[in-house]
Amino acid sequence: MKNIVILISGRGSNMQAIVDADIPGARIAAVIANRPDAAGLVWAAARGIATVGLDHKQFASREAFDAQLAAEIDAFQPDLVVLAGFMRILTPAFTARYEGRMLNIHPSLLPSFPGLHTHQRAIDMGCKVAGCTVHFVTAELDHGPIVAQAVVPVLDDDTETTLAARVLQQEHRLYPEAVRRFAAGELQIRNGRIGGVDAAAAGLALQVPVL
């Protein structure tokens, strides 16, 4: 059984999707938020999951907060740390501590559009597809070995809000599957990459729009 600690900042919809997936071989040991009033903490506690609210505003530096956050995480002996809408830039020391066992989901097809406002940037650039990426966390923001990606079309009348909603639906499908693969021991990092596309899929191509 793999112990999973999930970090959130708000309602934690991806956290909820992972919990609801009831992943074989995975135990959600705790949900930790950097905002004590995060709605996701209430949701998790109602389901019997241990919760911790650790207010980052009460710490003098990012390093001090990360050190205490690591102590809170380690109390639950995690095999995997999952960032699910955790809106904090993590220090290199923190990311190194959980190297190879910390996942994040980002609302773009990395390496395109790291950072914020991903959906509007995709629209502004005239992208025909957008999506989301699950990746292992490294010290470089929104980088690290890619585990899985999901793709959605960008519609002519899309706004940042409508595109975000369509991508979020895929996040809720993709993230639990990535955690399942970790729990099953299927994610092996080799030369900075993770396998996952076999020969049977090699001839497939996604074309948007269809010409």
Side-chain angles (χ1 to χ4, degrees):
M1 187 66 69
K2 302 292 187 182
N3 277 344
I4 314 293
V5 172
I6 303 177
L7 307 187
I8 64 172
S9 291
R11 64 190 177 96
S13 68
N14 273 307
M15 174 270 294
Q16 295 177 25
I18 292 168
V19 171
D20 286 343
D22 195 21
I23 299 167
R27 170 181 173 266
I28 309 305
V31 173
I32 301 176
N34 66 304
R35 291 176 47 192
D37 62 347
L41 293 178
V42 177
W43 188 94
R47 285 151 183 81
I49 301 170
T51 61
V52 177
L54 189 66
D55 189 352
H56 66 273
K57 295 179 181 178
Q58 300 302 312
F59 292 82
S61 67
R62 193 175 296 275
E63 289 77 12
F65 172 76
D66 280 5
Q68 185 59 42
L69 177 60
E72 298 288 352
I73 292 170
D74 290 349
F76 297 98
Q77 300 181 311
D79 297 286
L80 178 67
V81 177
V82 173
L83 308 183
F86 187 66
M87 304 302 291
R88 294 282 297 171
I89 295 175
L90 298 166
T91 58
F94 186 93
T95 57
R97 186 186 192 96
Y98 301 105
E99 183 177 0
R101 56 192 183 108
M102 182 160 59
L103 293 176
N104 182 48
I105 191 162
H106 183 73
S108 79
L109 296 172
L110 292 174
S112 297
F113 307 125
L116 301 175
H117 308 298
T118 58
H119 307 299
Q120 189 61 54
R121 289 158 65 194
I123 293 170
D124 291 345
M125 288 297 294
C127 293
K128 304 308 179 187
V129 295
C132 54
T133 303
V134 177
H135 65 98
F136 280 100
V137 176
T138 63
E140 189 173 358
L141 180 66
D142 296 330
H143 283 67
I146 291 173
V147 174
Q149 293 179 304
V151 178
V152 303
V154 179
L155 306 182
D156 287 343
D157 61 351
D158 260 330
T159 66
E160 184 175 14
T161 299
T162 60
L163 181 56
R166 193 177 311 115
V167 171
L168 188 61
Q169 289 180 331
Q170 296 305 313
E171 291 181 35
H172 293 165
R173 297 174 58 189
L174 192 69
Y175 217 177
E177 175 60 18
V179 174
R180 183 204 65 76
R181 290 184 63 196
F182 182 93
E186 297 175 5
L187 300 182
Q188 305 297 322
I189 302 173
R190 297 187 179 90
N191 298 320
R193 297 178 59 187
I194 297 168
V197 180
D198 58 24
L204 299 178
L206 175 66
Q207 183 173 293
V208 178
V210 177
L211 301 176

